[in-house]
PDB file of all heavy atoms in Angstrom:
ATOM      1  N   ALA M   6      14.687 174.844 145.466  1.00 97.00           N
ATOM      2  CA  ALA M   6      16.104 175.073 145.257  1.00 97.00           C
ATOM      3  C   ALA M   6      16.895 173.955 145.942  1.00 97.00           C
ATOM      4  O   ALA M   6      16.594 173.541 147.023  1.00 97.00           O
ATOM      5  CB  ALA M   6      16.511 176.444 145.825  1.00 97.00           C
ATOM      6  N   LEU M   7      17.842 173.400 145.221  1.00 97.00           N
ATOM      7  CA  LEU M   7      18.647 172.309 145.705  1.00 97.00           C
ATOM      8  C   LEU M   7      19.939 172.913 146.381  1.00 97.00           C
ATOM      9  O   LEU M   7      20.550 173.829 145.830  1.00 97.00           O
ATOM     10  CB  LEU M   7      19.052 171.387 144.583  1.00 97.00           C
ATOM     11  CG  LEU M   7      17.838 170.747 143.874  1.00 97.00           C
ATOM     12  CD1 LEU M   7      18.242 170.085 142.583  1.00 97.00           C
ATOM     13  CD2 LEU M   7      17.147 169.765 144.792  1.00 97.00           C
ATOM     14  N   PRO M   8      20.331 172.388 147.522  1.00 95.00           N
ATOM     15  CA  PRO M   8      21.470 172.987 148.233  1.00 95.00           C
ATOM     16  C   PRO M   8      22.802 172.774 147.604  1.00 95.00           C
ATOM     17  O   PRO M   8      23.017 171.825 146.820  1.00 95.00           O
ATOM     18  CB  PRO M   8      21.382 172.309 149.631  1.00 95.00           C
ATOM     19  CG  PRO M   8      20.813 170.964 149.319  1.00 95.00           C
ATOM     20  CD  PRO M   8      19.833 171.208 148.197  1.00 95.00           C
ATOM     21  N   GLY M   9      23.710 173.630 147.936  1.00 93.00           N
ATOM     22  CA  GLY M   9      25.125 173.468 147.527  1.00 93.00           C
ATOM     23  C   GLY M   9      25.834 172.614 148.509  1.00 93.00           C
ATOM     24  O   GLY M   9      25.219 172.038 149.429  1.00 93.00           O
ATOM     25  N   PHE M  10      27.126 172.443 148.332  1.00 95.00           N
ATOM     26  CA  PHE M  10      27.924 171.698 149.307  1.00 95.00           C
ATOM     27  C   PHE M  10      29.361 172.265 149.283  1.00 95.00           C
ATOM     28  O   PHE M  10      29.775 172.805 148.280  1.00 95.00           O
ATOM     29  CB  PHE M  10      27.959 170.211 149.005  1.00 95.00           C
ATOM     30  CG  PHE M  10      28.797 169.737 147.828  1.00 95.00           C
ATOM     31  CD1 PHE M  10      30.018 169.108 148.063  1.00 95.00           C
ATOM     32  CD2 PHE M  10      28.373 169.952 146.541  1.00 95.00           C
ATOM     33  CE1 PHE M  10      30.787 168.692 147.000  1.00 95.00           C
ATOM     34  CE2 PHE M  10      29.166 169.554 145.439  1.00 95.00           C
ATOM     35  CZ  PHE M  10      30.378 168.895 145.690  1.00 95.00           C
ATOM     36  N   ASP M  11      30.001 172.140 150.394  1.00 96.00           N
ATOM     37  CA  ASP M  11      31.386 172.600 150.501  1.00 96.00           C
ATOM     38  C   ASP M  11      32.319 171.391 150.373  1.00 96.00           C
ATOM     39  O   ASP M  11      32.332 170.529 151.274  1.00 96.00           O
ATOM     40  CB  ASP M  11      31.637 173.300 151.850  1.00 96.00           C
ATOM     41  CG  ASP M  11      33.027 173.837 152.025  1.00 96.00           C
ATOM     42  OD1 ASP M  11      33.961 173.071 151.763  1.00 96.00           O
ATOM     43  OD2 ASP M  11      33.164 175.008 152.434  1.00 96.00           O
ATOM     44  N   GLU M  12      33.067 171.313 149.292  1.00 96.00           N
ATOM     45  CA  GLU M  12      33.872 170.118 149.060  1.00 96.00           C
ATOM     46  C   GLU M  12      34.891 169.844 150.130  1.00 96.00           C
ATOM     47  O   GLU M  12      35.223 168.706 150.422  1.00 96.00           O
ATOM     48  CB  GLU M  12      34.587 170.208 147.673  1.00 96.00           C
ATOM     49  CG  GLU M  12      35.561 171.342 147.596  1.00 96.00           C
ATOM     50  CD  GLU M  12      36.145 171.531 146.189  1.00 96.00           C
ATOM     51  OE1 GLU M  12      35.484 171.168 145.219  1.00 96.00           O
ATOM     52  OE2 GLU M  12      37.250 172.027 146.079  1.00 96.00           O
ATOM     53  N   ASN M  13      35.415 170.900 150.703  1.00 96.00           N
ATOM     54  CA  ASN M  13      36.419 170.676 151.803  1.00 96.00           C
ATOM     55  C   ASN M  13      35.757 170.148 153.079  1.00 96.00           C
ATOM     56  O   ASN M  13      36.343 169.324 153.748  1.00 96.00           O
ATOM     57  CB  ASN M  13      37.166 171.984 152.055  1.00 96.00           C
ATOM     58  CG  ASN M  13      38.033 172.362 150.878  1.00 96.00           C
ATOM     59  OD1 ASN M  13      38.797 171.502 150.361  1.00 96.00           O
ATOM     60  ND2 ASN M  13      37.922 173.548 150.367  1.00 96.00           N
ATOM     61  N   GLU M  14      34.579 170.621 153.389  1.00 97.00           N
ATOM     62  CA  GLU M  14      33.845 170.075 154.584  1.00 97.00           C
ATOM     63  C   GLU M  14      33.511 168.591 154.326  1.00 97.00           C
ATOM     64  O   GLU M  14      33.638 167.786 155.233  1.00 97.00           O
ATOM     65  CB  GLU M  14      32.619 170.892 154.872  1.00 97.00           C
ATOM     66  CG  GLU M  14      32.910 172.267 155.482  1.00 97.00           C
ATOM     67  CD  GLU M  14      31.646 173.034 155.763  1.00 97.00           C
ATOM     68  OE1 GLU M  14      30.541 172.508 155.642  1.00 97.00           O
ATOM     69  OE2 GLU M  14      31.796 174.214 156.090  1.00 97.00           O
ATOM     70  N   TYR M  15      33.106 168.304 153.117  1.00 97.00           N
ATOM     71  CA  TYR M  15      32.807 166.874 152.775  1.00 97.00           C
ATOM     72  C   TYR M  15      34.034 166.028 152.913  1.00 97.00           C
ATOM     73  O   TYR M  15      33.987 164.942 153.394  1.00 97.00           O
ATOM     74  CB  TYR M  15      32.158 166.762 151.344  1.00 97.00           C
ATOM     75  CG  TYR M  15      30.667 166.950 151.355  1.00 97.00           C
ATOM     76  CD1 TYR M  15      30.036 168.095 151.944  1.00 97.00           C
ATOM     77  CD2 TYR M  15      29.876 166.018 150.731  1.00 97.00           C
ATOM     78  CE1 TYR M  15      28.668 168.237 151.881  1.00 97.00           C
ATOM     79  CE2 TYR M  15      28.483 166.155 150.669  1.00 97.00           C
ATOM     80  CZ  TYR M  15      27.898 167.285 151.259  1.00 97.00           C
ATOM     81  OH  TYR M  15      26.545 167.426 151.216  1.00 97.00           O
ATOM     82  N   MET M  16      35.165 166.591 152.410  1.00 97.00           N
ATOM     83  CA  MET M  16      36.406 165.815 152.492  1.00 97.00           C
ATOM     84  C   MET M  16      36.806 165.569 153.954  1.00 97.00           C
ATOM     85  O   MET M  16      37.171 164.460 154.292  1.00 97.00           O
ATOM     86  CB  MET M  16      37.535 166.530 151.746  1.00 97.00           C
ATOM     87  CG  MET M  16      38.836 165.750 151.701  1.00 97.00           C
ATOM     88  SD  MET M  16      38.727 164.181 150.890  1.00 97.00           S
ATOM     89  CE  MET M  16      38.430 164.699 149.203  1.00 97.00           C
ATOM     90  N   ASP M  17      36.679 166.613 154.763  1.00 96.00           N
ATOM     91  CA  ASP M  17      37.021 166.472 156.187  1.00 96.00           C
ATOM     92  C   ASP M  17      36.196 165.382 156.861  1.00 96.00           C
ATOM     93  O   ASP M  17      36.670 164.661 157.735  1.00 96.00           O
ATOM     94  CB  ASP M  17      36.843 167.792 156.892  1.00 96.00           C
ATOM     95  CG  ASP M  17      37.876 168.832 156.523  1.00 96.00           C
ATOM     96  OD1 ASP M  17      38.907 168.483 155.902  1.00 96.00           O
ATOM     97  OD2 ASP M  17      37.659 170.029 156.835  1.00 96.00           O
ATOM     98  N   ALA M  18      34.958 165.248 156.443  1.00 97.00           N
ATOM     99  CA  ALA M  18      34.078 164.275 157.044  1.00 97.00           C
ATOM    100  C   ALA M  18      34.141 162.859 156.396  1.00 97.00           C
ATOM    101  O   ALA M  18      33.603 161.902 156.955  1.00 97.00           O
ATOM    102  CB  ALA M  18      32.621 164.763 156.953  1.00 97.00           C
ATOM    103  N   SER M  19      34.864 162.729 155.317  1.00 97.00           N
ATOM    104  CA  SER M  19      34.811 161.497 154.520  1.00 97.00           C
ATOM    105  C   SER M  19      35.688 160.376 155.002  1.00 97.00           C
ATOM    106  O   SER M  19      35.355 159.190 154.910  1.00 97.00           O
ATOM    107  CB  SER M  19      35.198 161.787 153.072  1.00 97.00           C
ATOM    108  OG  SER M  19      36.607 162.078 153.000  1.00 97.00           O
ATOM    109  N   HIS M  20      36.908 160.707 155.453  1.00 95.00           N
ATOM    110  CA  HIS M  20      37.889 159.744 155.862  1.00 95.00           C
ATOM    111  C   HIS M  20      38.201 158.734 154.765  1.00 95.00           C
ATOM    112  O   HIS M  20      38.346 157.525 154.990  1.00 95.00           O
ATOM    113  CB  HIS M  20      37.420 158.938 157.138  1.00 95.00           C
ATOM    114  CG  HIS M  20      37.055 159.862 158.292  1.00 95.00           C
ATOM    115  ND1 HIS M  20      38.046 160.519 159.012  1.00 95.00           N
ATOM    116  CD2 HIS M  20      35.881 160.339 158.730  1.00 95.00           C
ATOM    117  CE1 HIS M  20      37.449 161.305 159.914  1.00 95.00           C
ATOM    118  NE2 HIS M  20      36.166 161.191 159.760  1.00 95.00           N
ATOM    119  N   PHE M  21      38.307 159.242 153.542  1.00 97.00           N
ATOM    120  CA  PHE M  21      38.583 158.351 152.392  1.00 97.00           C
ATOM    121  C   PHE M  21      39.886 157.573 152.500  1.00 97.00           C
ATOM    122  O   PHE M  21      39.970 156.488 152.090  1.00 97.00           O
ATOM    123  CB  PHE M  21      38.607 159.168 151.072  1.00 97.00           C
ATOM    124  CG  PHE M  21      37.263 159.658 150.652  1.00 97.00           C
ATOM    125  CD1 PHE M  21      37.081 160.998 150.263  1.00 97.00           C
ATOM    126  CD2 PHE M  21      36.150 158.844 150.600  1.00 97.00           C
ATOM    127  CE1 PHE M  21      35.829 161.481 149.855  1.00 97.00           C
ATOM    128  CE2 PHE M  21      34.929 159.280 150.161  1.00 97.00           C
ATOM    129  CZ  PHE M  21      34.812 160.642 149.755  1.00 97.00           C
ATOM    130  N   ASN M  22      40.923 158.228 153.113  1.00 94.00           N
ATOM    131  CA  ASN M  22      42.217 157.520 153.201  1.00 94.00           C
ATOM    132  C   ASN M  22      42.153 156.342 154.192  1.00 94.00           C
ATOM    133  O   ASN M  22      43.007 155.487 154.179  1.00 94.00           O
ATOM    134  CB  ASN M  22      43.306 158.475 153.619  1.00 94.00           C
ATOM    135  CG  ASN M  22      43.809 159.319 152.489  1.00 94.00           C
ATOM    136  OD1 ASN M  22      43.666 158.995 151.305  1.00 94.00           O
ATOM    137  ND2 ASN M  22      44.438 160.434 152.777  1.00 94.00           N
ATOM    138  N   GLU M  23      41.109 156.330 155.019  1.00 95.00           N
ATOM    139  CA  GLU M  23      40.980 155.251 155.972  1.00 95.00           C
ATOM    140  C   GLU M  23      40.057 154.144 155.486  1.00 95.00           C
ATOM    141  O   GLU M  23      39.922 153.138 156.051  1.00 95.00           O
ATOM    142  CB  GLU M  23      40.403 155.840 157.307  1.00 95.00           C
ATOM    143  CG  GLU M  23      41.383 156.778 157.967  1.00 95.00           C
ATOM    144  CD  GLU M  23      40.700 157.713 158.921  1.00 95.00           C
ATOM    145  OE1 GLU M  23      39.632 157.389 159.457  1.00 95.00           O
ATOM    146  OE2 GLU M  23      41.270 158.787 159.189  1.00 95.00           O
ATOM    147  N   GLN M  24      39.433 154.395 154.324  1.00 96.00           N
ATOM    148  CA  GLN M  24      38.523 153.404 153.689  1.00 96.00           C
ATOM    149  C   GLN M  24      39.368 152.452 152.788  1.00 96.00           C
ATOM    150  O   GLN M  24      40.445 152.835 152.324  1.00 96.00           O
ATOM    151  CB  GLN M  24      37.446 154.079 152.907  1.00 96.00           C
ATOM    152  CG  GLN M  24      36.507 154.906 153.765  1.00 96.00           C
ATOM    153  CD  GLN M  24      35.453 155.594 152.933  1.00 96.00           C
ATOM    154  OE1 GLN M  24      34.953 155.025 151.946  1.00 96.00           O
ATOM    155  NE2 GLN M  24      35.057 156.779 153.320  1.00 96.00           N
ATOM    156  N   SER M  25      38.783 151.314 152.528  1.00 96.00           N
ATOM    157  CA  SER M  25      39.448 150.375 151.604  1.00 96.00           C
ATOM    158  C   SER M  25      39.527 151.017 150.195  1.00 96.00           C
ATOM    159  O   SER M  25      38.538 151.490 149.692  1.00 96.00           O
ATOM    160  CB  SER M  25      38.650 149.098 151.569  1.00 96.00           C
ATOM    161  OG  SER M  25      38.819 148.428 150.371  1.00 96.00           O
ATOM    162  N   PHE M  26      40.737 150.949 149.632  1.00 96.00           N
ATOM    163  CA  PHE M  26      40.878 151.504 148.279  1.00 96.00           C
ATOM    164  C   PHE M  26      39.973 150.747 147.299  1.00 96.00           C
ATOM    165  O   PHE M  26      39.357 151.332 146.426  1.00 96.00           O
ATOM    166  CB  PHE M  26      42.330 151.404 147.878  1.00 96.00           C
ATOM    167  CG  PHE M  26      42.564 151.897 146.463  1.00 96.00           C
ATOM    168  CD1 PHE M  26      42.656 153.265 146.245  1.00 96.00           C
ATOM    169  CD2 PHE M  26      42.775 151.043 145.389  1.00 96.00           C
ATOM    170  CE1 PHE M  26      42.886 153.767 144.941  1.00 96.00           C
ATOM    171  CE2 PHE M  26      43.013 151.506 144.132  1.00 96.00           C
ATOM    172  CZ  PHE M  26      43.028 152.868 143.900  1.00 96.00           C
ATOM    173  N   GLU M  27      39.891 149.430 147.448  1.00 97.00           N
ATOM    174  CA  GLU M  27      39.042 148.573 146.583  1.00 97.00           C
ATOM    175  C   GLU M  27      37.586 148.982 146.695  1.00 97.00           C
ATOM    176  O   GLU M  27      36.871 149.020 145.716  1.00 97.00           O
ATOM    177  CB  GLU M  27      39.254 147.131 146.910  1.00 97.00           C
ATOM    178  CG  GLU M  27      40.609 146.538 146.569  1.00 97.00           C
ATOM    179  CD  GLU M  27      41.708 146.967 147.567  1.00 97.00           C
ATOM    180  OE1 GLU M  27      41.404 147.382 148.728  1.00 97.00           O
ATOM    181  OE2 GLU M  27      42.887 146.873 147.191  1.00 97.00           O
ATOM    182  N   SER M  28      37.171 149.284 147.950  1.00 97.00           N
ATOM    183  CA  SER M  28      35.744 149.718 148.148  1.00 97.00           C
ATOM    184  C   SER M  28      35.522 151.061 147.451  1.00 97.00           C
ATOM    185  O   SER M  28      34.453 151.230 146.798  1.00 97.00           O
ATOM    186  CB  SER M  28      35.458 149.830 149.620  1.00 97.00           C
ATOM    187  OG  SER M  28      34.223 150.407 149.842  1.00 97.00           O
ATOM    188  N   LEU M  29      36.409 151.996 147.565  1.00 98.00           N
ATOM    189  CA  LEU M  29      36.249 153.305 146.904  1.00 98.00           C
ATOM    190  C   LEU M  29      36.171 153.129 145.388  1.00 98.00           C
ATOM    191  O   LEU M  29      35.377 153.795 144.755  1.00 98.00           O
ATOM    192  CB  LEU M  29      37.356 154.253 147.270  1.00 98.00           C
ATOM    193  CG  LEU M  29      37.340 154.786 148.695  1.00 98.00           C
ATOM    194  CD1 LEU M  29      38.594 155.595 148.982  1.00 98.00           C
ATOM    195  CD2 LEU M  29      36.100 155.675 148.918  1.00 98.00           C
ATOM    196  N   LEU M  30      37.022 152.266 144.837  1.00 98.00           N
ATOM    197  CA  LEU M  30      36.998 152.081 143.396  1.00 98.00           C
ATOM    198  C   LEU M  30      35.708 151.401 142.948  1.00 98.00           C
ATOM    199  O   LEU M  30      35.130 151.749 141.914  1.00 98.00           O
ATOM    200  CB  LEU M  30      38.234 151.270 142.933  1.00 98.00           C
ATOM    201  CG  LEU M  30      38.508 151.221 141.456  1.00 98.00           C
ATOM    202  CD1 LEU M  30      38.623 152.603 140.843  1.00 98.00           C
ATOM    203  CD2 LEU M  30      39.768 150.420 141.204  1.00 98.00           C
ATOM    204  N   GLU M  31      35.190 150.471 143.749  1.00 98.00           N
ATOM    205  CA  GLU M  31      33.937 149.790 143.444  1.00 98.00           C
ATOM    206  C   GLU M  31      32.751 150.776 143.550  1.00 98.00           C
ATOM    207  O   GLU M  31      31.846 150.744 142.731  1.00 98.00           O
ATOM    208  CB  GLU M  31      33.718 148.592 144.346  1.00 98.00           C
ATOM    209  CG  GLU M  31      32.439 147.837 144.110  1.00 98.00           C
ATOM    210  CD  GLU M  31      32.395 147.116 142.742  1.00 98.00           C
ATOM    211  OE1 GLU M  31      33.312 147.225 141.913  1.00 98.00           O
ATOM    212  OE2 GLU M  31      31.339 146.462 142.536  1.00 98.00           O
ATOM    213  N   GLN M  32      32.815 151.637 144.541  1.00 98.00           N
ATOM    214  CA  GLN M  32      31.758 152.680 144.683  1.00 98.00           C
ATOM    215  C   GLN M  32      31.757 153.547 143.462  1.00 98.00           C
ATOM    216  O   GLN M  32      30.698 153.868 142.921  1.00 98.00           O
ATOM    217  CB  GLN M  32      31.955 153.532 145.904  1.00 98.00           C
ATOM    218  CG  GLN M  32      31.672 152.844 147.220  1.00 98.00           C
ATOM    219  CD  GLN M  32      31.902 153.745 148.344  1.00 98.00           C
ATOM    220  OE1 GLN M  32      31.314 154.823 148.468  1.00 98.00           O
ATOM    221  NE2 GLN M  32      32.810 153.309 149.300  1.00 98.00           N
ATOM    222  N   TYR M  33      32.974 153.985 143.002  1.00 98.00           N
ATOM    223  CA  TYR M  33      33.032 154.783 141.791  1.00 98.00           C
ATOM    224  C   TYR M  33      32.352 154.083 140.622  1.00 98.00           C
ATOM    225  O   TYR M  33      31.584 154.660 139.913  1.00 98.00           O
ATOM    226  CB  TYR M  33      34.483 155.126 141.480  1.00 98.00           C
ATOM    227  CG  TYR M  33      34.644 155.674 140.087  1.00 98.00           C
ATOM    228  CD1 TYR M  33      34.402 157.034 139.807  1.00 98.00           C
ATOM    229  CD2 TYR M  33      34.959 154.845 139.007  1.00 98.00           C
ATOM    230  CE1 TYR M  33      34.469 157.539 138.532  1.00 98.00           C
ATOM    231  CE2 TYR M  33      35.039 155.350 137.698  1.00 98.00           C
ATOM    232  CZ  TYR M  33      34.771 156.665 137.474  1.00 98.00           C
ATOM    233  OH  TYR M  33      34.821 157.208 136.204  1.00 98.00           O
ATOM    234  N   ARG M  34      32.766 152.815 140.406  1.00 98.00           N
ATOM    235  CA  ARG M  34      32.215 152.068 139.249  1.00 98.00           C
ATOM    236  C   ARG M  34      30.693 151.940 139.330  1.00 98.00           C
ATOM    237  O   ARG M  34      29.993 152.207 138.339  1.00 98.00           O
ATOM    238  CB  ARG M  34      32.837 150.654 139.216  1.00 98.00           C
ATOM    239  CG  ARG M  34      32.376 149.814 138.030  1.00 98.00           C
ATOM    240  CD  ARG M  34      32.837 148.372 138.122  1.00 98.00           C
ATOM    241  NE  ARG M  34      32.209 147.612 139.221  1.00 98.00           N
ATOM    242  CZ  ARG M  34      30.969 147.126 139.123  1.00 98.00           C
ATOM    243  NH1 ARG M  34      30.192 147.327 138.063  1.00 98.00           N
ATOM    244  NH2 ARG M  34      30.466 146.410 140.152  1.00 98.00           N
ATOM    245  N   LEU M  35      30.153 151.637 140.493  1.00 98.00           N
ATOM    246  CA  LEU M  35      28.737 151.510 140.616  1.00 98.00           C
ATOM    247  C   LEU M  35      27.973 152.794 140.457  1.00 98.00           C
ATOM    248  O   LEU M  35      26.896 152.839 139.787  1.00 98.00           O
ATOM    249  CB  LEU M  35      28.406 150.864 142.015  1.00 98.00           C
ATOM    250  CG  LEU M  35      28.820 149.439 142.196  1.00 98.00           C
ATOM    251  CD1 LEU M  35      28.683 149.001 143.668  1.00 98.00           C
ATOM    252  CD2 LEU M  35      28.023 148.468 141.335  1.00 98.00           C
ATOM    253  N   VAL M  36      28.479 153.862 141.002  1.00 98.00           N
ATOM    254  CA  VAL M  36      27.913 155.197 140.852  1.00 98.00           C
ATOM    255  C   VAL M  36      27.891 155.566 139.368  1.00 98.00           C
ATOM    256  O   VAL M  36      26.897 155.998 138.830  1.00 98.00           O
ATOM    257  CB  VAL M  36      28.594 156.263 141.717  1.00 98.00           C
ATOM    258  CG1 VAL M  36      28.135 157.646 141.380  1.00 98.00           C
ATOM    259  CG2 VAL M  36      28.295 155.952 143.216  1.00 98.00           C
ATOM    260  N   ARG M  37      29.026 155.364 138.669  1.00 98.00           N
ATOM    261  CA  ARG M  37      29.106 155.769 137.282  1.00 98.00           C
ATOM    262  C   ARG M  37      28.185 154.930 136.406  1.00 98.00           C
ATOM    263  O   ARG M  37      27.451 155.463 135.566  1.00 98.00           O
ATOM    264  CB  ARG M  37      30.538 155.611 136.807  1.00 98.00           C
ATOM    265  CG  ARG M  37      30.784 155.896 135.309  1.00 98.00           C
ATOM    266  CD  ARG M  37      30.259 157.268 134.835  1.00 98.00           C
ATOM    267  NE  ARG M  37      30.742 158.370 135.564  1.00 98.00           N
ATOM    268  CZ  ARG M  37      31.780 159.139 135.216  1.00 98.00           C
ATOM    269  NH1 ARG M  37      32.518 158.798 134.151  1.00 98.00           N
ATOM    270  NH2 ARG M  37      32.129 160.135 135.982  1.00 98.00           N
ATOM    271  N   GLU M  38      28.070 153.634 136.683  1.00 98.00           N
ATOM    272  CA  GLU M  38      27.169 152.821 135.896  1.00 98.00           C
ATOM    273  C   GLU M  38      25.708 153.197 136.142  1.00 98.00           C
ATOM    274  O   GLU M  38      24.904 153.245 135.189  1.00 98.00           O
ATOM    275  CB  GLU M  38      27.390 151.325 136.178  1.00 98.00           C
ATOM    276  CG  GLU M  38      28.722 150.847 135.554  1.00 98.00           C
ATOM    277  CD  GLU M  38      29.084 149.414 135.927  1.00 98.00           C
ATOM    278  OE1 GLU M  38      28.296 148.736 136.645  1.00 98.00           O
ATOM    279  OE2 GLU M  38      30.110 148.976 135.438  1.00 98.00           O
ATOM    280  N   SER M  39      25.364 153.519 137.387  1.00 98.00           N
ATOM    281  CA  SER M  39      24.052 153.955 137.714  1.00 98.00           C
ATOM    282  C   SER M  39      23.768 155.313 137.015  1.00 98.00           C
ATOM    283  O   SER M  39      22.648 155.544 136.484  1.00 98.00           O
ATOM    284  CB  SER M  39      23.860 154.087 139.234  1.00 98.00           C
ATOM    285  OG  SER M  39      22.591 154.633 139.550  1.00 98.00           O
ATOM    286  N   SER M  40      24.697 156.235 137.026  1.00 98.00           N
ATOM    287  CA  SER M  40      24.564 157.515 136.392  1.00 98.00           C
ATOM    288  C   SER M  40      24.300 157.358 134.922  1.00 98.00           C
ATOM    289  O   SER M  40      23.394 157.984 134.336  1.00 98.00           O
ATOM    290  CB  SER M  40      25.775 158.415 136.636  1.00 98.00           C
ATOM    291  OG  SER M  40      25.940 158.765 137.963  1.00 98.00           O
ATOM    292  N   ILE M  41      25.110 156.495 134.251  1.00 98.00           N
ATOM    293  CA  ILE M  41      24.940 156.311 132.836  1.00 98.00           C
ATOM    294  C   ILE M  41      23.568 155.749 132.521  1.00 98.00           C
ATOM    295  O   ILE M  41      22.895 156.214 131.572  1.00 98.00           O
ATOM    296  CB  ILE M  41      26.054 155.364 132.315  1.00 98.00           C
ATOM    297  CG1 ILE M  41      27.421 156.075 132.344  1.00 98.00           C
ATOM    298  CG2 ILE M  41      25.747 154.858 130.901  1.00 98.00           C
ATOM    299  CD1 ILE M  41      28.639 155.163 132.091  1.00 98.00           C
ATOM    300  N   ALA M  42      23.097 154.771 133.305  1.00 98.00           N
ATOM    301  CA  ALA M  42      21.753 154.242 133.076  1.00 98.00           C
ATOM    302  C   ALA M  42      20.681 155.358 133.237  1.00 98.00           C
ATOM    303  O   ALA M  42      19.751 155.450 132.408  1.00 98.00           O
ATOM    304  CB  ALA M  42      21.493 153.102 134.058  1.00 98.00           C
ATOM    305  N   LEU M  43      20.778 156.134 134.298  1.00 98.00           N
ATOM    306  CA  LEU M  43      19.807 157.208 134.545  1.00 98.00           C
ATOM    307  C   LEU M  43      19.846 158.253 133.397  1.00 98.00           C
ATOM    308  O   LEU M  43      18.817 158.547 132.800  1.00 98.00           O
ATOM    309  CB  LEU M  43      20.083 157.861 135.893  1.00 98.00           C
ATOM    310  CG  LEU M  43      19.227 159.146 136.146  1.00 98.00           C
ATOM    311  CD1 LEU M  43      17.751 158.777 136.263  1.00 98.00           C
ATOM    312  CD2 LEU M  43      19.696 159.836 137.427  1.00 98.00           C
ATOM    313  N   PHE M  44      21.021 158.752 133.155  1.00 98.00           N
ATOM    314  CA  PHE M  44      21.149 159.846 132.131  1.00 98.00           C
ATOM    315  C   PHE M  44      20.808 159.374 130.739  1.00 98.00           C
ATOM    316  O   PHE M  44      20.279 160.171 129.925  1.00 98.00           O
ATOM    317  CB  PHE M  44      22.525 160.444 132.159  1.00 98.00           C
ATOM    318  CG  PHE M  44      22.956 160.958 133.552  1.00 98.00           C
ATOM    319  CD1 PHE M  44      24.289 160.967 133.941  1.00 98.00           C
ATOM    320  CD2 PHE M  44      22.042 161.514 134.425  1.00 98.00           C
ATOM    321  CE1 PHE M  44      24.686 161.433 135.154  1.00 98.00           C
ATOM    322  CE2 PHE M  44      22.434 161.975 135.694  1.00 98.00           C
ATOM    323  CZ  PHE M  44      23.735 161.935 136.065  1.00 98.00           C
ATOM    324  N   SER M  45      20.998 158.106 130.469  1.00 98.00           N
ATOM    325  CA  SER M  45      20.611 157.536 129.124  1.00 98.00           C
ATOM    326  C   SER M  45      19.087 157.532 128.983  1.00 98.00           C
ATOM    327  O   SER M  45      18.607 157.504 127.872  1.00 98.00           O
ATOM    328  CB  SER M  45      21.176 156.140 128.959  1.00 98.00           C
ATOM    329  OG  SER M  45      22.598 156.164 128.921  1.00 98.00           O
ATOM    330  N   SER M  46      18.377 157.553 130.071  1.00 98.00           N
ATOM    331  CA  SER M  46      16.919 157.550 129.999  1.00 98.00           C
ATOM    332  C   SER M  46      16.349 158.940 129.785  1.00 98.00           C
ATOM    333  O   SER M  46      15.123 159.054 129.471  1.00 98.00           O
ATOM    334  CB  SER M  46      16.317 156.958 131.287  1.00 98.00           C
ATOM    335  OG  SER M  46      16.376 157.884 132.368  1.00 98.00           O
ATOM    336  N   PHE M  47      17.142 159.989 129.877  1.00 98.00           N
ATOM    337  CA  PHE M  47      16.678 161.360 129.706  1.00 98.00           C
ATOM    338  C   PHE M  47      16.442 161.657 128.228  1.00 98.00           C
ATOM    339  O   PHE M  47      17.392 161.528 127.437  1.00 98.00           O
ATOM    340  CB  PHE M  47      17.658 162.359 130.300  1.00 98.00           C
ATOM    341  CG  PHE M  47      17.790 162.418 131.754  1.00 98.00           C
ATOM    342  CD1 PHE M  47      17.088 161.626 132.642  1.00 98.00           C
ATOM    343  CD2 PHE M  47      18.691 163.358 132.326  1.00 98.00           C
ATOM    344  CE1 PHE M  47      17.250 161.707 134.023  1.00 98.00           C
ATOM    345  CE2 PHE M  47      18.834 163.467 133.700  1.00 98.00           C
ATOM    346  CZ  PHE M  47      18.133 162.618 134.557  1.00 98.00           C
ATOM    347  N   SER M  48      15.281 162.088 127.862  1.00 97.00           N
ATOM    348  CA  SER M  48      15.106 162.650 126.519  1.00 97.00           C
ATOM    349  C   SER M  48      15.786 164.017 126.448  1.00 97.00           C
ATOM    350  O   SER M  48      16.094 164.589 127.516  1.00 97.00           O
ATOM    351  CB  SER M  48      13.596 162.740 126.176  1.00 97.00           C
ATOM    352  OG  SER M  48      13.033 163.762 127.023  1.00 97.00           O
TER     353      SER M  48
END
């Protein structure tokens, strides 16, 4: 069984507003491109 997560606890621990906006946008892009590559491989 894979665990759940509490989005509010993750947010409290993230400090997204203190991170570089450009870095967050680049992380989004890279994660999405990786996801597309992985999911495209699924039969």
